[in-house]
Amino acid sequence: MKTAAFRRAAKASSVRCLGMALLALAAATPGTAQNATDSLKLPEDLTIFEDRDPNLHKPTAVVNGQIITKTDVDQRMALIVLANGGKIADEELARLRLQVLRNLIDETLQIQEAAANDITITKPELEESFARVATNFRQTPKDFAKYLTTKGSSAASISRQIEAETAWSRLLRRKVQPFVNVSQEEVKAVIDKLNASKGADEYRVGEIYLSATPENADQIFGNARNIIDQIRQGGSFAAYARQFSEASTAAVGGDLGWVRAGQLPDALAQAVAEIQVGQIAGPVAIPGGYSIVFLSDKRKVLTADPRDAVLSLKQISIIFPKGTGEAKANAIVKTFGEQMKGLQGCGSVADIAAKLGADVIDNDNVKIRDLPAPLQPLMLDLQVGQATPPFGSPDSGVRSLVLCGRDDPQDAGAPSFEQIMSQIEDERVNKRARIYLRDLRRDAIIDYN
């Protein structure tokens, strides 16, 4: 189960470099890399007969006769820039272009292999998927296409990525998944381990995996550092994972799902245990390369998370009049706090609001985990009828939340037999998918222009 988390999304199927991590793992395993090098019988004292500028690359290619144009690369790059708020350093852009080209090559190979097996994605299917993406941006497909054009990308760029993901997924379901078997004993063993781990910490982890060999380890480490810097400056972790991670979870934004420390490589388990929810760690050296991890949530195995409690709340708020000075604002906050301390249950909220000239908003379906992080521990300790201390800002004014009811969550049950069996199948399908794509790269005829 050590690497189970890294192959969660086999059916979603990443279009990213599924096979390279396997190659890098062999190169980085003690004893294996040395034997492979020995078999090549390379001279120790060698001379390179052609000088090449390592920083000079031409971002186009022909893959088995199919052209990847500079426009293809530019439009995919624009999506990455858009996901990062348009803030990417020039030196980072050069590195990203190379990765984008590798991604486009993989997508081309996947579409070609699917077509060779009589699998094609129809235009109506692509249009339907594109419409779903547009809906996520609260736009019509037509308006979303125009928006992408204004940002230097296009609907075709997103559609190409959708086509590759869908075609590859169907190909795996046809040629790989039917030959993967999971026994009932294996599933039962996983269930027993879950029950034995009840109450242990469980983490919701995001991962960006970059494969490396001893020869390029320093370069890959630097690339990982650059990605971390971009994310900490406001870049989207999911967007970077989708474009650059070589793990199977790239297709789902790097999300490993809920995992326990024992399911992760030791180095990753230690890194995750040392950070808080919302923080990022890395680059973490693991066999075959480096990983960047993001901790999005934390809970106890098979134990109800109190943050899943559903609350009935009243919010009472006062907006500071325009031009309110600091002294006057502090006086308003003080009065507001004194009134809230005298609160006698939710029934008195309306009277206090009338005295203060405040507004009241009711909401009967709020999970604690959906509230801002600073408020969550306050709500966990609050009793029905009590209010939080005043909080706010100069722009939003001062406010308080009054707890009027709480529905505590039920104890979390173990995943079903079918869910666990599906997860194990996904892991095995994805392992074979990595080898499949590796072989496609090896056999491809690729001309770089």
Side-chain angles (χ1 to χ4, degrees):
M1 295 297 293
K2 279 284 185 180
T3 59
F6 293 94
R7 306 186 184 100
R8 288 288 170 110
K11 289 180 182 175
S13 179
S14 172
V15 299
R16 302 297 158 249
C17 313
L18 294 175
M20 293 193 65
L22 207 61
L23 290 173
L25 179 60
T29 302
T32 305
Q34 187 61 47
N35 292 337
T37 302
D38 288 347
S39 68
L40 295 175
K41 299 181 180 179
L42 300 176
E44 294 185 4
D45 185 14
L46 56 83
T47 301
I48 304 297
F49 296 115
E50 180 182 352
D51 291 332
R52 292 184 179 179
D53 183 351
N55 298 312
L56 180 61
H57 299 272
K58 297 180 179 180
T60 56
V62 181
V63 183
N64 294 329
Q66 184 171 341
I67 298 173
I68 296 174
T69 68
K70 181 177 181 296
T71 299
D72 294 329
V73 178
D74 290 342
Q75 291 183 348
R76 189 62 62 83
M77 278 293 300
L79 293 177
I80 299 172
V81 174
L82 181 61
N84 287 275
K87 299 176 182 178
I88 298 181
D90 291 342
E91 59 272 17
E92 178 72 359
L93 285 173
R95 186 191 66 79
L96 293 180
R97 291 186 72 85
L98 297 178
Q99 183 64 52
V100 164
L101 179 58
R102 288 193 287 268
N103 295 344
L104 290 171
I105 289 172
D106 281 351
E107 289 177 9
T108 303
L109 291 172
Q110 290 169 327
I111 293 171
Q112 290 175 345
E113 180 66 8
N117 286 271
D118 299 321
I119 296 173
T120 57
I121 310 304
T122 65
K123 184 177 180 180
E125 288 178 298
L126 288 176
E127 290 175 346
E128 182 180 351
S129 296
F130 182 80
R132 286 197 295 269
V133 175
T135 301
N136 293 336
F137 287 81
R138 298 182 180 179
Q139 296 187 38
T140 65
K142 185 176 180 179
D143 290 340
F144 186 51
K146 290 180 179 178
Y147 171 74
L148 291 172
T149 301
T150 64
K151 299 299 182 180
S153 187
S154 69
S157 185
I158 289 183
S159 294
R160 176 193 174 97
Q161 191 166 359
I162 293 171
E163 180 183 7
E165 291 177 354
T166 308
W168 186 244
S169 178
R170 291 182 184 176
L171 182 64
L172 295 181
R173 287 201 298 270
R174 178 187 295 183
K175 297 196 67 175
V176 176
Q177 192 171 356
F179 304 100
V180 171
N181 297 306
V182 179
S183 69
Q184 293 188 358
E185 289 74 17
E186 290 176 287
V187 177
K188 186 178 183 301
V190 174
I191 293 175
D192 290 343
K193 286 182 179 179
L194 279 173
N195 290 329
S197 301
K198 184 174 182 178
D201 287 332
E202 194 171 30
Y203 307 94
R204 188 69 180 266
V205 178
E207 173 226 12
I208 298 174
Y209 172 72
L210 304 175
S211 65
T213 64
E215 292 75 21
N216 68 2
D218 290 342
Q219 176 190 352
I220 299 302
F221 182 87
N223 290 346
R225 288 297 317 166
N226 289 335
I227 290 175
I228 291 172
D229 290 342
Q230 292 294 324
I231 294 172
R232 285 177 174 165
Q233 292 172 23
S236 165
F237 184 93
Y240 268 92
R242 186 175 179 84
Q243 294 297 335
F244 302 120
S245 178
E246 296 173 28
S248 63
T249 53
V252 289
D255 184 18
L256 300 180
W258 287 100
V259 295
R260 299 183 305 283
Q263 294 175 271
L264 297 170
D266 292 341
L268 288 189
Q270 180 178 348
V272 168
E274 291 175 351
I275 58 177
Q276 301 299 316
V277 172
Q279 293 183 339
I280 190 171
V284 180
I286 62 173
Y290 294 96
S291 279
I292 301 166
V293 291
F294 172 68
L295 181 59
S296 60
D297 210 344
K298 183 178 177 180
R299 68 184 184 188
K300 300 290 185 181
V301 175
L302 303 183
T303 302
D305 189 334
R307 291 175 302 157
D308 286 326
V310 179
L311 310 180
S312 175
L313 300 174
K314 288 183 181 289
Q315 177 181 267
I316 180 169
S317 61
I318 299 175
I319 303 300
F320 297 138
K322 188 175 182 179
T324 300
E326 183 178 351
K328 186 174 181 180
N330 288 338
I332 293 174
V333 171
K334 182 178 180 181
T335 301
F336 184 91
E338 290 172 350
Q339 289 292 324
M340 297 310 296
K341 286 180 181 177
L343 180 73
Q344 295 179 336
C346 287
S348 63
V349 169
D351 292 337
I352 291 178
K355 291 180 184 178
L356 296 173
D359 296 322
V360 177
I361 298 175
D362 293 341
N363 195 320
D364 294 330
N365 193 29
V366 178
K367 280 189 176 182
I368 293 178
R369 68 167 59 253
D370 294 333
L371 292 170
L375 288 177
Q376 292 183 22
L378 294 177
M379 301 309 299
L380 288 172
D381 296 334
L382 215 59
Q383 299 298 318
V384 173
Q386 293 183 328
T388 65
F391 62 90
S393 69
D395 294 331
S396 65
V398 61
R399 62 192 65 199
S400 176
L401 295 177
V402 183
L403 180 61
C404 300
R406 180 201 306 264
D407 292 328
D408 290 316
Q410 299 288 326
D411 276 349
S416 68
F417 187 94
E418 290 75 17
Q419 287 173 323
I420 294 175
M421 176 172 283
S422 178
Q423 178 184 332
I424 298 174
E425 287 178 350
D426 287 351
E427 294 167 8
R428 294 178 181 175
V429 168
N430 201 42
K431 182 177 181 179
R432 297 190 185 188
R434 293 164 72 97
I435 299 172
Y436 197 164
L437 187 55
R438 178 200 67 188
D439 292 342
L440 291 178
R441 290 197 199 98
R442 182 192 60 198
D443 298 335
I445 298 174
I446 304 176
D447 295 324
Y448 292 93
N449 301 318

